[in-house]
Amino acid sequence: MKKHPPTSFHPVSAPDFLPLAQLKSLQLQRLQGMVQRAFDNVPLFQQRMRERGLTPADVRRMDDITQLPFTVKTDLRDTYPFGLFASPMKDIVRLHASTGTTGKPIVVAYTKADIAVWENVIMRSFAACGLHAGDIIQNAYGYGLFTGGLGAHYGGEALGATVIPISGGNTQRQLMVMKDFGSTAICCTPSYFLHIIEQAPELGVNLKELPLRAGVFGAEPWTETMRQRIEAESGLKAYDIYGLSEIIGPGVAMECQCQAGPHIFEDWFYPEIIDLKTGRPLPDGEEGELVLTTLGKEAMPMIRYRTRDITTLTSEPCECGRTLRRIKRIGRRSDDMFIIRGVNVYPSQIETALLKVEGTLPHYQIILTREKGLDEVEVLVEVTREVFGDTVGALEQLERRLSQSIETLTGLRVNLRLVQPQTIQRSEGKAKRVLDQRKM
Ligand code: DLL
């Protein structure tokens, strides 16, 4: 294994260590400004506040946030494209958009000050995992309307690191650049890095011999076992970065070198956890939906945005000394659960079950079909080249072990099919795990 430097401190990280009383008073001051701004400039927000008999003056303490109305994804769609903007276009210097699978994209906007906040949280994200000036960051998040590429880019430069804006895809070139330019860090989705790992030997690259020491992985759910697999096979340390376009993009939360769950940059993004059904706030330590409020966004303030991401917030101290609370890695969204024959299943549970068994990569895809009114679930799993060369008996045995593992974890009997390496389509960005053919 490669040597990793001890936990380092970078001055840009100072706000990560604010004494709690100071952090809380900063949050309140910023929240009050934000609510006023949204009230004055966003008709939908003002209308919802009035319906509740509220004015910005009613936000006196941080707890008052629970009285404020939620914002949901459909609000962005219904006011497409610019209806939630709180700044005139002359002050907006950047637009990004997230497409999603159905309907219109959602559009998000940034003023110069918003871009500065974004740069700040990305610098703090990189610093948190031990990167600094002198590091060479290969940024393989997609550049364009997706927030990943440009988001990570400017924070990397501001930190003084060398950023390679390679964007996603072209794995052969990724590996060549990684080797020839001596990249010390890579930013991409964990599923795409898995693909890089798999291609490396074929292109004569031994990742463990390269200077690469940190992976900044996010934009999609991944599991702890996936982290272990990635680290064992590449020799780098894999860190979880979380974010979403509606709030800013990547950099809402990031793991420190303790790798114990992402710290939320709470001085800019205020987190709450709510009960999925009732919408009531839950105490730290309980699982629910993450709700985020931007505390400094000018162009598009988001008040109590329901992310649909399921997690737990913890205020337990982290060994790194940061006072920022952490979230548990986000393994699922409230809207990616599928129900098969009455059993609720999340793709992350299938991933965990597959990873318990050796011999898979694990590239997998879940296909849902309906035959004569009965739901069926088929799980395609790619096996390694070595395993695929095994006897039919050995493959059947592996198939049985995998479906048993899924059944034990989810209670669901699935049709499991082992497929040859390279059969499941690779994504340069977010992996598409579930193909629901029932709706078609
Ligand atoms: O994915 C921003 C991003 C870019 C984050 C690069 C990290 C790295 P969206 O396209 O708007 O923005 O998708 C946001 O992706 O609500 C989560 O469901 C999921 N997601 C993002 N990061 C993680 C993560 C970007 N670390 C949606 N773990 C979010 C699990 C994640 N899910």
Side-chain angles (χ1 to χ4, degrees):
M1 270 302 247
K2 271 177 244 175
K3 285 229 165 71
H4 296 283
T7 304
S8 52
F9 177 76
H10 192 288
V12 76
S13 302
D16 298 6
F17 298 87
L18 273 184
L20 279 181
Q22 225 173 310
L23 176 65
K24 285 190 176 142
S25 99
L26 183 64
Q27 285 172 327
L28 178 60
Q29 189 194 329
R30 286 184 173 159
L31 176 70
Q32 288 168 330
M34 197 79 318
V35 170
Q36 187 70 56
R37 185 176 181 87
F39 189 83
D40 292 343
N41 297 287
V42 183
L44 181 71
F45 182 69
Q46 187 178 119
Q47 179 203 326
R48 286 186 180 160
M49 288 286 278
R50 288 197 188 285
E51 280 164 11
R52 286 169 172 72
L54 293 171
T55 71
D58 291 312
V59 182
R60 292 186 198 90
R61 298 169 309 135
M62 217 49 216
D63 285 351
D64 293 332
I65 197 170
T66 58
Q67 308 303 315
L68 303 178
F70 289 119
T71 309
V72 293
K73 201 175 198 118
T74 46
D75 293 334
L76 283 125
R77 296 233 159 91
D78 295 346
T79 55
Y80 174 87
F82 305 148
L84 295 186
F85 290 7
S87 298
M89 201 51 94
K90 73 174 177 42
D91 295 337
I92 290 173
V93 297
R94 178 104 61 86
L95 296 175
H96 279 282
S98 117
T99 11
T101 41
T102 49
K104 288 180 203 158
I106 54 151
V107 184
V108 295
Y110 305 77
T111 63
K112 269 195 181 144
D114 295 336
I115 296 282
V117 168
W118 201 5
E119 195 175 275
N120 173 267
V121 289
I122 293 287
M123 284 168 79
R124 286 160 66 187
S125 299
F126 285 143
C129 70
L131 298 174
H132 38 67
D135 270 298
I136 302 178
I137 302 178
Q138 183 161 336
N139 187 12
Y141 282 121
Y143 280 66
L145 287 179
F146 176 53
T147 53
L150 285 175
H153 183 101
Y154 289 107
E157 283 188 359
L159 191 69
T162 309
V163 180
I164 308 172
I166 190 162
S167 198
N170 198 340
T171 310
Q172 196 165 347
R173 192 177 53 171
Q174 298 279 357
L175 281 157
M176 180 193 75
V177 163
M178 205 178 278
K179 188 167 169 227
D180 296 349
F181 296 9
S183 309
T184 56
I186 173 115
C187 305
C188 61
T189 55
S191 60
Y192 185 57
F193 191 65
L194 205 63
H195 181 53
I196 295 183
I197 290 180
E198 167 190 65
Q199 292 285 296
E202 294 185 15
L203 299 165
V205 178
N206 181 349
L207 290 174
K208 291 187 181 159
E209 284 172 0
L210 301 185
L212 200 63
R213 64 182 164 84
V216 180
F217 300 131
E220 65 183 9
W222 55 309
T223 53
E224 193 55 38
T225 340
M226 176 83 101
R227 168 169 21 223
Q228 287 158 12
R229 193 66 77 82
I230 286 177
E231 291 190 342
E233 298 199 9
S234 66
L236 57 62
K237 270 199 151 205
Y239 297 98
D240 194 6
I241 186 166
Y242 168 75
L244 61 163
S245 317
E246 298 89 317
I247 297 300
I248 203 151
V252 171
M254 171 68 183
E255 276 188 332
C256 65
Q257 287 176 296
C258 304
Q259 294 177 299
H263 289 274
I264 299 214
F265 294 113
E266 281 191 79
D267 49 331
W268 292 118
F269 316 111
Y270 186 77
E272 296 170 80
I273 297 288
I274 59 161
D275 181 287
L276 272 175
K277 289 203 187 88
T278 64
R280 260 194 236 112
L282 294 173
D284 284 2
E286 282 192 33
E287 188 183 76
E289 178 178 349
L290 177 65
V291 170
L292 290 165
T293 297
T294 55
L295 295 178
K297 201 88 176 302
E298 288 182 345
M300 214 173 91
M302 275 288 136
I303 312 284
R304 304 195 83 205
Y305 184 69
R306 290 189 65 157
T307 65
R308 305 193 199 185
D309 292 323
I310 312 287
T311 185
T312 305
L313 202 54
T314 171
S315 41
E316 272 173 34
C318 179
E319 271 180 50
C320 72
R322 280 178 175 73
T323 45
L324 305 172
R325 281 178 289 176
R326 283 168 293 148
I327 45 171
K328 258 206 193 129
R329 74 164 52 252
I330 289 168
R332 58 198 179 95
R333 291 176 56 82
S334 61
D335 52 7
D336 73 357
M337 183 185 85
F338 54 90
I339 303 177
I340 291 286
R341 303 189 288 269
V343 183
N344 297 358
V345 188
Y346 287 95
S348 57
Q349 291 176 296
I350 304 262
E351 180 174 310
T352 305
L354 295 176
L355 277 158
K356 282 186 193 289
V357 181
E358 279 297 314
T360 56
L361 278 172
H363 287 292
Y364 65 95
Q365 195 154 50
I366 303 160
I367 303 175
L368 310 178
T369 51
R370 186 167 290 151
E371 298 267 333
K372 294 188 189 126
L374 201 68
D375 288 343
E376 290 292 338
V377 50
E378 182 174 46
V379 181
L380 303 187
V381 186
E382 259 186 41
V383 287
T384 53
R385 228 169 264 294
E386 304 78 70
V387 171
F388 206 76
D390 277 355
T391 60
V392 176
L395 288 175
E396 281 173 356
Q397 204 192 4
L398 179 61
E399 231 167 46
R400 266 198 304 278
R401 281 171 54 215
L402 288 168
S403 37
Q404 249 160 30
S405 178
I406 293 177
E407 194 174 343
T408 311
L409 211 91
T410 64
L412 190 73
R413 230 173 231 282
V414 302
N415 305 321
L416 195 128
R417 191 146 62 86
L418 294 180
V419 294
Q420 296 201 33
Q422 303 297 328
T423 321
I424 294 172
Q425 201 186 354
R426 301 292 188 266
S427 162
E428 297 160 3
K430 298 173 192 265
K432 186 152 178 51
R433 300 295 191 196
V434 184
L435 279 187
D436 193 346
Q437 298 175 341
R438 295 177 300 178
K439 292 175 196 146
M440 294 174 188

